[in-house]
Amino acid sequence: MMQAQKTIQSSRDRLLASRAINLKTRKAKILLFFVAIAFLIAAGDPSYDLPSSVALMENLHDDSDSNKVGTEQTCAVGIWNKDTHQLDENPKCTASSELLHMERPETKKRLTYMLLYYNNHKHLAQQVHSWKNFSQAALDQIQFVIVDDGSTLGHTAADLFAANRNYIKGLDILVYKIDQDLAWNIGGARNLGFYMSNTEWIFMNDADIEVKTDTMDFVTRLLDYKPQQQENGTTTGLEPVYLYFKRWREAGFKNHPAVMLIKRKHYWMLGGCDEDFVGHYGQTDPHFRLKVKLDKTLHGYTTEDLMNAQQISPLYEMAESLPCPAGMTCLEPYVGQTPSRDTKPNKDLIKKKRKIGKWSNTVLRFTWKRGTWESSSWWQALLGWFQ
């Protein structure tokens, strides 16, 4: 009898000791959990990888500190070399070396599908939704590169992708986010996309333009298409740049002035977009088409003619207001002011540049980071361990 009581008491003691150990372990986990939260908060926004040399933005100004960091162009990270068609480092810009040598992920893809993004997650969500309908043959050739042109935290491209990790699985997507919120930085953002892309061809699309499945197949076929431009019965042998894609919008059919398919080397042979036009509205597309027209080795094709001949679906301009696509999680709508659309400054500028026949050779007048949306896996792993 006494022996049985001792056995029972011993079992109770072991049980209590085990519970005490479990309680201490749980308390330790709770403490570590909150320490980890504090660390992540202190580390700031985990959505982008920040190069060390661009942490102090005050070092980026080559003339003075009069510009407002975040809303004005900084010193140019790159200087276009007209002989090599490459970007040289700018010794006046602290961030130049590190940013110009930012690693481009290796890829065997042939085509970059490039998109500029700014605070409008509904259009980007619709883009992603349409990409899921592309043929596998097309997706096997495409890497998607999104240039986030200074979106507000909570409304960035990486924020949308972070909320839809499972939905975007299988899509080869890269995001580069510009740190500064520059008005009408279309040319600068395009330059960044073309600089960081790592494929031979680049299909540059607008954020509000949906590409149908057969249209994307058509674009991939153009990579091997051998057009022969005829002039007076003689084959010119000029390299193609595909412009003026057929577009449908509510007002009817009209080819698109911005969407194009071009080889990366040809874009930089032309010096990219002139970033003197940044800050004011308009002339980004006309001045680049003018560069194509003036070059003696390239020919700009009206792609609409090829699309009509092959009965290819047009590009579709999205509505301003869109529902969230089924299966996706959308963000809170962005509320902000649209910068002035006064076209006079850039109209005057392009007249001046055409007269003197000279374009700017300083590009990427901002800093940027590569986006990632895998950072919350830390939280998920931590929660899983805690449980």
Side-chain angles (χ1 to χ4, degrees):
M1 183 70 177
M2 290 293 293
Q3 183 63 34
Q5 289 178 343
K6 287 181 179 181
T7 302
I8 293 172
Q9 184 63 40
S10 178
S11 298
R12 287 175 178 173
D13 291 343
R14 286 195 299 270
L15 179 60
L16 290 174
S18 176
R19 287 178 177 176
I21 292 172
N22 288 339
L23 181 60
K24 288 180 180 180
T25 302
R26 195 169 184 81
K27 286 180 178 180
K29 286 184 176 182
I30 292 173
L31 178 60
L32 185 58
F33 177 73
F34 284 106
V35 168
I37 290 176
F39 173 78
L40 289 172
I41 293 173
D45 178 16
S47 299
Y48 297 94
D49 299 324
L50 177 64
S52 58
S53 68
V54 301
L56 299 178
M57 291 297 297
E58 61 267 23
N59 292 330
L60 294 176
H61 301 286
D62 52 356
D63 295 321
S64 69
D65 291 330
S66 60
N67 291 337
K68 293 181 180 179
V69 174
T71 58
E72 301 285 342
Q73 288 179 322
T74 67
C75 63
V77 168
I79 299 176
W80 179 69
N81 187 316
K82 67 178 181 179
D83 296 320
T84 65
H85 305 154
Q86 303 294 319
L87 297 188
D88 294 337
E89 294 180 16
N90 182 359
K92 295 182 179 180
C93 198
T94 307
S96 179
S97 178
E98 188 163 0
L99 286 174
L100 287 185
H101 291 91
M102 180 180 288
E103 182 182 3
R104 298 185 188 93
E106 291 293 329
T107 181
K108 294 182 179 179
K109 304 294 180 67
R110 299 184 64 200
L111 175 66
T112 293
Y113 184 120
M114 192 183 86
L115 201 69
L116 306 190
Y117 171 85
Y118 181 72
N119 283 324
N120 194 331
H121 72 276
K122 288 289 185 68
H123 280 164
L124 181 55
Q126 187 60 43
Q127 288 278 355
V128 174
H129 182 68
S130 69
W131 299 346
K132 300 278 283 187
N133 293 321
F134 287 172
S135 69
Q136 190 58 52
L139 289 175
D140 287 344
Q141 299 187 68
I142 298 172
Q143 183 171 70
F144 298 94
V145 170
I146 315 300
V147 179
D148 188 324
D149 195 11
S151 295
T152 304
L153 185 62
H155 303 278
T156 68
D159 290 327
L160 179 68
F161 294 145
N164 294 277
R165 286 184 185 84
N166 290 331
Y167 191 87
I168 65 174
K169 282 182 178 178
L171 296 175
D172 185 0
I173 302 176
L174 297 173
V175 173
Y176 296 96
K177 184 178 184 299
I178 295 173
D179 296 318
Q180 294 76 31
D181 185 2
L182 306 178
W184 302 118
N185 187 37
I186 298 170
R190 287 178 182 174
N191 285 342
L192 178 59
F194 274 89
Y195 183 71
M196 295 307 302
S197 294
N198 205 17
T199 60
E200 179 186 12
W201 287 89
I202 296 175
F203 175 67
M204 187 185 75
N205 193 21
D206 261 14
D208 63 347
I209 294 297
E210 181 178 353
V211 181
K212 297 297 184 181
T213 303
D214 69 306
T215 312
M216 198 68 244
D217 287 337
F218 164 75
V219 171
T220 58
R221 289 197 300 273
L222 287 178
L223 307 187
D224 296 312
Y225 184 62
K226 305 295 182 184
Q228 292 191 346
Q229 175 64 17
Q230 300 288 330
E231 292 181 1
N232 300 322
T234 303
T235 300
T236 64
L238 300 179
E239 290 281 350
V241 177
Y242 296 101
L243 306 167
Y244 300 116
F245 279 72
K246 186 177 182 179
R247 167 186 57 169
W248 183 91
R249 55 182 178 174
E250 192 173 346
F253 288 100
K254 186 177 182 181
N255 57 39
H256 200 286
V259 177
M260 69 175 173
L261 175 67
I262 185 173
K263 286 185 177 181
R264 183 179 184 273
K265 68 177 183 180
H266 292 154
Y267 181 87
W268 287 116
M269 182 179 73
L270 298 173
C273 285
D274 189 326
E275 293 184 35
D276 285 351
F277 291 97
V278 172
H280 297 285
Y281 182 72
Q283 301 305 315
T284 302
D285 300 323
H287 96 263
F288 189 81
R289 291 198 303 269
L290 178 61
K291 286 187 173 187
V292 174
K293 183 178 180 180
L294 294 176
D295 189 89
K296 295 180 180 180
T297 65
L298 302 176
H299 179 78
Y301 283 84
T302 300
T303 314
E304 180 178 9
D305 296 339
L306 293 172
M307 296 173 74
N308 287 335
Q310 299 183 35
Q311 297 183 327
I312 302 299
S313 298
L315 307 175
Y316 284 85
E317 188 170 297
M318 302 178 194
E320 284 296 321
S321 180
L322 290 170
C324 189
M328 293 193 71
T329 299
C330 286
L331 309 175
E332 290 296 318
Y334 171 76
V335 179
Q337 295 182 338
T338 301
S340 170
R341 287 179 175 261
D342 181 9
T343 60
K344 187 177 185 306
N346 279 353
K347 284 183 177 179
D348 292 342
L349 181 60
I350 197 170
K351 287 179 182 178
K352 178 181 177 181
K353 286 181 176 287
R354 293 188 70 163
K355 184 176 181 180
I356 65 176
K358 186 178 181 180
W359 307 101
S360 173
N361 69 337
T362 58
V363 298
L364 305 177
R365 304 174 189 177
F366 45 78
T367 57
W368 66 90
K369 314 178 190 76
R370 179 170 168 200
T372 174
W373 42 94
E374 300 302 326
S375 55
S376 67
S377 61
W378 288 89
W379 294 81
Q380 294 170 346
L382 191 60
L383 285 170
W385 174 79
F386 175 70
Q387 293 171 349

